[in-house]
Amino acid sequence: MANNSILTNPGALVALRNLERTNRSLDVTQNRVSTGLKVTGAIDDASNFAIAQGIRGDIKALGAVVQGLNNAKGIAKVAIAGTTSISDLLQTVRQKLTEMSNEGITTTQRSILEEDFAQLLSQAANFIENAVFNGVNLLDSGSTNVNTLSNINGGTLTLTVQNLRTQVLALAGSSFGSATLAQSVLASEFNDLQSIVNTALGSLGAEARALELQTTFLEEITDATEEGLGNIVDADMARESARLTALQVRQQLGVQVLGIANQAPQILLGLFQ
């Protein structure tokens, strides 16, 4: 008789061990299916988990850099909008100065033109004052350059201050009570401001484009890094689904086999009848 003891049942012990192995494998597979990951901790795969944690850190750092670049883009775009508005305004300013350069206008007409001129320069100052994003104004006097991280290795991109207020105030304070004075202002202070505005547009535009290109590049790098991370830790859901079904069947069979093995000692009862 294969089993002649009611204290020890080797067949049941073997069936129990096999069932426990099946249950452990089933737990692993269910965890992979529920999380979508084949490596969820150091116990699963110490080396790959350590690598994955480092990559996750890189991804978070890249996200922080991109956030900083987006903030810098906001600063640049607001500064460009303010500078563009001033550039558009200067066309009308030039018109008023040209009209005041005409000796044929009356005193009343000159007074009206001077008032228009003052209003235009006041509006230009208002554009500068309101060209603020997140507390930063690149167009005002006293501002400083804005340096922002461009990568996770410490590289930076710079937004350069364009002090338009000083030259706007200089033009606003000019004297043009006569045609000659108006012509002088047109040739000097006005041309200086227009030159500064044009330079600012070129500089801010180039710097904003650099920020945009770097942001796009880092987003592509982030996507590629996330894909690489997925190759390390993501579970193959089709394979895990098939394995889950197989293990569930094995579990059911294991329970049945254990039940049969546990019935074996009852055979000994026949000896006592």
Side-chain angles (χ1 to χ4, degrees), residues 159 166 180 221 249:
L159 287 173
T166 298
T180 301
I221 290 294
V249 172

Side-chain angles (χ1 to χ4, degrees), residues 82-135:
T83 306
T84 302
S85 295
I86 294 173
S87 179
D88 293 338
L89 195 67
L90 287 181
Q91 299 174 27
T92 306
V93 171
R94 182 175 183 178
Q95 175 189 351
K96 299 303 178 183
L97 282 171
T98 301
E99 291 175 358
M100 284 188 287
S101 299
N102 183 4
E103 295 181 353
I105 62 175
T106 65
T107 301
T108 300
Q109 290 171 335
R110 183 174 298 279
S111 177
I112 294 172
L113 289 171
E114 288 177 357
E115 180 63 26
D116 286 347
F117 180 87
Q119 289 296 328
L120 290 170
L121 269 293
S122 176
Q123 186 61 50
N126 185 56
F127 289 155
I128 294 172
E129 184 176 349
N130 287 282
V132 180
F133 182 87
N134 197 26

